[in-house]
């Protein structure tokens, strides 16, 4: 079997075998299959798709294309959580300590922001001293001792995926459902998760803009995970507007801290409680007896207990332990006013009376990039201080009067601030009639 | 405009502009556009196709991607002929001297055989001493003094095509009509033709297996040529069975010589007369007064005069002049018994009474490759002596009795001979009822 025959078979709509997919991926990682054949293959997959079975084979081949992480010497059952990204998505900062405080360990390898979507590592680095580069030994020790650790990738997990993703980025083959699903799932499988809670976002500020697309991706990833012996739950979270009120690294850390204190925006709090509850449920349901969570463990109870960690200070205490373990300055998290802040803060005023009908999350995300708080291309530095903070009234469904602030721009310069205000003004739409706020979670697929 | 945007535009079904196609091709030849982007582009073209306008832009960009040949200092009007290849296609050896003997100069850059299809240079090299490597100065001098010259490519004409073709070969993107048409036409345009007669083959022994496919390719190439200011005629020649009786380099030279003496297989003679007539017509119609051909010049007259060159010895005389000018041994062409010949010659016998219904030309072509007379991969040496010679009764429509020879295998070893006979036996089908021979030329598109 030659590689060109595998390409041609996919080009002509054939279903590839496990052996064919493995041959291709192994050869690609070994440098025996050149980039140009991989590019032709990806474009053929773009047009022909892959069956769930093929996508599972692809995921497995990529997951085991390099080192894999085994955390079972530290925890009996590893629950991971994956968000498909978005604007204002600081969920990991809150959910990690929530579930860890209930005895479910969270060891996450996270990523950086790119394009309109932020990244967890960038947010954590807004806390002075926080180290994202840990050795495997450090990672495991913290996971055992603290129960929560969030770092960058230490090993080169799923190198096939890294190599293939870089290629897809420059060959117009990013937007392929099986390639997207395989990319995400291969990293999760390589990182050693026994169960995965997928937090798939839908809307203008997400990679999937419509509910059917998001559900299709979520169901495909769940099918792949189950096919590889993992327990899977997927939530479809709303990303038509930013999650919570803050977008921008230090601003989001401050909002996460507010939420960990039992305050914070209602939609973000609900999102965190729902995600945490699914992580608790999947951990408890599938390893009965191993969790330290007391009581019966049904959905309602999981939500109640998850919410309680925000209100009774246990999540906050776990957060402090975590941040301190990774070198973060506790004086700053205890007093978020000491986080980096921008010199210029200006409001966007409502141009008319009415109800907010639209806040384009993607435009808000790009505005943060324009302000210097995100990356247009990999490797760009980020300014932690800048960003956007919405007023509650400035979110969808909010009732506003002309001249009231919709949001506040935190900028480094006047020029950048003016440009941001102009871009954000165009991201809004208003209605005379009342508008319903979108649901925080559109669907849960267990 | 980034290259990935051009790829994505084509991927999504957009029509590329001349500027976009030029940017892509120029960048590719300059090494600025990497192979992996070109591979993704070709696969996107495979699925989305190209409009005739886009294909014309592609052809032009490739044709002018390197040196081009200008023969107008030697001849006022250059007619070229292109065959899409096939089995037993020794047409150039006969048609070249035919039209040159009537004053229409023929200066051709030809290629070598690959896969089941033979190549003119391999055939000519079966004549001891024949040189295919000429300088441009030698090429032009011979074109002026003899009127016919057939050599390998001296300049690197259309380097974009050479580079892209090699890439398509290993990325499953050969079978794309616009890429095939652009590849052929770019070389013809770069070689300086004012008019081109396309000899597009159809059937099992051709790249286009059905008449609609062949007509589509022919019409697209004609449209491209006209779009770039060239005069175009296309013939659709039959390749369901081998052309003539001989397949194999020295065997085909012998058959060409027979035909130049006014003998030879009827179908091959007719094919040569038809192609030559179209070359005469296109030369005369478009440069009245410059041709030395006497008399009025309509289609019937062209056929009559072309045929006459075979019967009155003028084509043969021109052939000898040509071969001598390129160093070929006239003693051999004057006595074809002195061409290389194989030690083993065995017949394939008809297994039953009946009429020949099928002689799979592709299988005959692959048998010649198996015997050592063709190439599985570029650069393989070829054995000029081996091949297959059909009996007249062994072609489609032939009436055979069980035990009569259908053809003769010319082999280097007994093992190769036995394998060839087995493969050829499976290439035949028979019928109880009479079978009509296929037309030699299915269609002429002027």
């Amino acid at each position: 079997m030659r590689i060109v025959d595998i390409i041609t078979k996919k080009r002509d709509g054939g279903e590839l075998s496990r052996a064919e997919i493995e041959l291709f991926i192994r050869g690609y990682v070994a440098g025996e299959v050149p980039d140009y054949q991989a590019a032709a293959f990806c474009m053929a997959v773009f047009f022909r798709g892959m069956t769930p079975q093929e996508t599972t084979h692809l995921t497995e081949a990529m997951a085991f294309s390099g080192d894999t992480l085994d955390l079972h010497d530290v925890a009996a059952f590893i629950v991971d959580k994956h968000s498909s990204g978005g604007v204002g998505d600081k969920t990991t900062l809150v959910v990690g300590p929530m579930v860890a405080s209930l005895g479910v360990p969270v060891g996450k390898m996270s990523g950086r922001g790119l394009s309109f979507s932020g990244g967890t590592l960038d947010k954590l680095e807004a806390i002075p001293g926080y180290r994202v580069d840990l050795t495997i030994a450090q990672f495991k020790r913290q996971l055992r001792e603290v129960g929560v650790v969030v770092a960058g990738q230490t090993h080169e997990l799923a190198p096939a995926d890294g190599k293939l993703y870089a290629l897809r980025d420059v060959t117009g083959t990013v937007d392929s459902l099986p390639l997207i699903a395989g990319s995400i799932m291969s990293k999760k499988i390589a990182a050693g998760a026994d169960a995965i809670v997928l937090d798939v976002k839908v809307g203008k500020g997400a990679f999937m803009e419509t509910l059917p697309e998001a559900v299709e991706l979520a169901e495909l990833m769940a099918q792949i995970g189950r096919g590889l012996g993992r327990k899977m739950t997927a939530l479809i979270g709303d990303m038509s507007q930013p999650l919570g009120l803050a977008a921008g690294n230090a601003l989001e850390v401050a909002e996460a801290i507010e939420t960990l204190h039992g305050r914070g925006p209602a939609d973000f709090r609900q999102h965190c409680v729902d995600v945490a509850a699914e992580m608790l449920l999947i951990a408890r349901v599938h390893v009965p007896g191993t969790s330290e969570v007391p009581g019966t463990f049904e959905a309602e109870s999981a939500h109640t207990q998850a919410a309680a960690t925000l209100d009774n200070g246990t999540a906050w205490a776990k957060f402090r332990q975590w941040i301190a373990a990774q070198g973060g300055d506790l004086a700053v998290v205890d007093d978020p006013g000491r986080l980096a802040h921008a010199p210029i803060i200006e409001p966007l005023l409502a141009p008319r009376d009415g109800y907010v009908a639209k806040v384009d999350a993607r435009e808000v995300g790009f505005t943060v990039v324009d302000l210097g708080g995100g990356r247009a291309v990999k490797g760009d530095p980020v300014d932690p201080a800048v960003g956007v903070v919405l007023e509650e009234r400035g979110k969808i469904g909010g009732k506003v009067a002309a001249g009231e602030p919709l949001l506040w721009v935190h900028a480094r310069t006047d020029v950048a601030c003016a440009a941001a205000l102009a871009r954000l003004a165009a991201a809004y739409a208003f209605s005379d009639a009342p508008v319903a706020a979108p649901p925080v979670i559109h669907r849960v697929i267990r």
Side-chain angles (χ1 to χ4, degrees), chain A residues 167-189:
Chain A
L167 182 72
R168 287 165 54 207
D169 196 37
V170 291
T171 54
T173 50
V174 167
D175 304 327
S176 159
L177 205 65
L179 297 182
I180 292 170
S183 172
I184 295 169
M185 289 301 295
S186 67
K187 282 178 289 198
K188 293 289 143 190
I189 299 292

Side-chain angles (χ1 to χ4, degrees), chain A residues 2-3 6-7 19-43 58 61-62 64-66 156 158-171 173 179:
Chain A
R2 299 176 309 156
I3 296 299
I6 294 175
I7 298 169
E20 287 165 338
I21 291 172
E22 274 194 5
L23 185 73
F24 179 82
I25 292 295
R26 283 188 191 168
Y28 186 51
V29 172
E32 291 152 10
V33 174
D35 279 335
Y36 51 80
Q37 289 189 316
F41 176 83
C42 288
M43 189 59 89
L58 177 71
M62 293 200 296
F64 295 97
S65 62
E156 197 189 7
D161 173 64
K163 194 172 173 185
L164 208 57
Y165 189 85
L167 182 72
R168 287 165 54 207
D169 196 37
V170 291
T171 54
T173 50
L179 297 182

Side-chain angles (χ1 to χ4, degrees), chain A residues 90 92-94 97 112 119-132 150 248-258 260 316 318-341 382-385:
Chain A
K90 68 288 289 179
T92 295
L93 275 63
V94 177
R112 297 194 177 276
T120 298
L121 295 187
D122 295 328
K123 295 172 196 187
L124 286 167
E125 284 184 339
I127 301 169
Y130 190 91
R131 289 190 308 269
V132 301
V150 180
N249 296 306
L251 297 168
E252 291 189 49
V253 169
E255 184 166 285
I257 290 170
E258 276 294 290
L260 285 161
W316 168 245
K318 184 57 72 180
F319 178 77
R320 287 182 88 252
Q321 257 189 292
W322 159 31
I323 299 302
Q326 283 186 250
D329 187 345
L330 287 185
V332 173
V333 300
D334 287 343
D335 176 10
R338 295 173 62 179
L339 284 161
H341 50 272
V382 296
D383 182 343

Side-chain angles (χ1 to χ4, degrees), chain A residues 150-234:
Chain A
V150 180
Q153 279 198 14
T154 46
H155 280 49
E156 197 189 7
L157 297 176
D161 173 64
K163 194 172 173 185
L164 208 57
Y165 189 85
L167 182 72
R168 287 165 54 207
D169 196 37
V170 291
T171 54
T173 50
V174 167
D175 304 327
S176 159
L177 205 65
L179 297 182
I180 292 170
S183 172
I184 295 169
M185 289 301 295
S186 67
K187 282 178 289 198
K188 293 289 143 190
I189 299 292
D194 297 301
I196 302 160
V197 173
L198 300 169
D199 178 13
V200 176
K201 300 299 198 307
V202 63
K204 282 288 284 179
F207 292 101
M208 297 288 138
E209 292 197 28
T210 69
L211 188 58
E213 285 175 319
V215 168
E216 195 183 353
L217 175 62
E219 287 184 339
L220 177 57
M221 290 197 291
Q223 199 171 349
I224 294 168
R226 291 187 189 116
L228 295 174
R230 270 64 178 180
K231 305 296 176 187
M232 304 293 303
T233 298

Side-chain angles (χ1 to χ4, degrees), chain A residues 207-412:
Chain A
F207 292 101
M208 297 288 138
E209 292 197 28
T210 69
L211 188 58
E213 285 175 319
V215 168
E216 195 183 353
L217 175 62
E219 287 184 339
L220 177 57
M221 290 197 291
Q223 199 171 349
I224 294 168
R226 291 187 189 116
L228 295 174
R230 270 64 178 180
K231 305 296 176 187
M232 304 293 303
T233 298
L235 300 96
I236 310 291
D238 188 72
M239 193 47 74
S240 59
Q241 60 182 347
L243 182 59
L245 300 175
N249 296 306
L251 297 168
E252 291 189 49
V253 169
E255 184 166 285
I257 290 170
E258 276 294 290
T259 305
L260 285 161
H261 282 306
R263 300 185 294 263
D267 65 331
F268 177 58
R269 176 186 162 103
Q270 187 197 327
H271 185 85
C272 290
V273 169
D274 285 355
V275 171
E278 295 304 328
M279 292 175 75
L280 295 175
L281 280 169
I282 208 167
R284 274 292 282 185
V285 166
H286 299 295
V287 280
T290 62
S291 166
E292 295 162 15
V293 184
T296 60
F297 222 77
E298 283 159 9
E300 198 181 338
S301 157
H303 281 77
T304 305
Q305 295 195 45
T309 67
L310 297 176
D311 298 324
N312 64 20
T314 54
W316 168 245
K318 184 57 72 180
F319 178 77
R320 287 182 88 252
Q321 257 189 292
W322 159 31
I323 299 302
Q326 283 186 250
D329 187 345
L330 287 185
V332 173
V333 300
D334 287 343
D335 176 10
R338 295 173 62 179
L339 284 161
H341 50 272
I344 296 159
I345 302 175
E346 292 286 342
L348 176 69
L349 304 179
R352 50 166 283 190
D353 294 357
Y355 296 88
V356 175
K358 191 182 87 167
V359 194
D360 186 320
R362 183 174 299 230
E363 283 301 299
V364 174
F366 278 124
T367 301
V368 175
V369 174
D370 291 346
L371 286 165
R375 290 184 185 82
V377 295
K378 269 187 190 172
D380 280 355
V382 296
D383 182 343
V386 300
V388 175
V389 180
L390 280 69
E391 293 282 346
E392 282 284 0
R393 76 166 74 83
K395 294 197 69 169
I396 296 173
K399 186 170 190 297
V400 296
E404 286 183 328
L406 295 167
L407 56 79
W408 299 82
V409 169
H410 295 237
R412 185 62 61 187

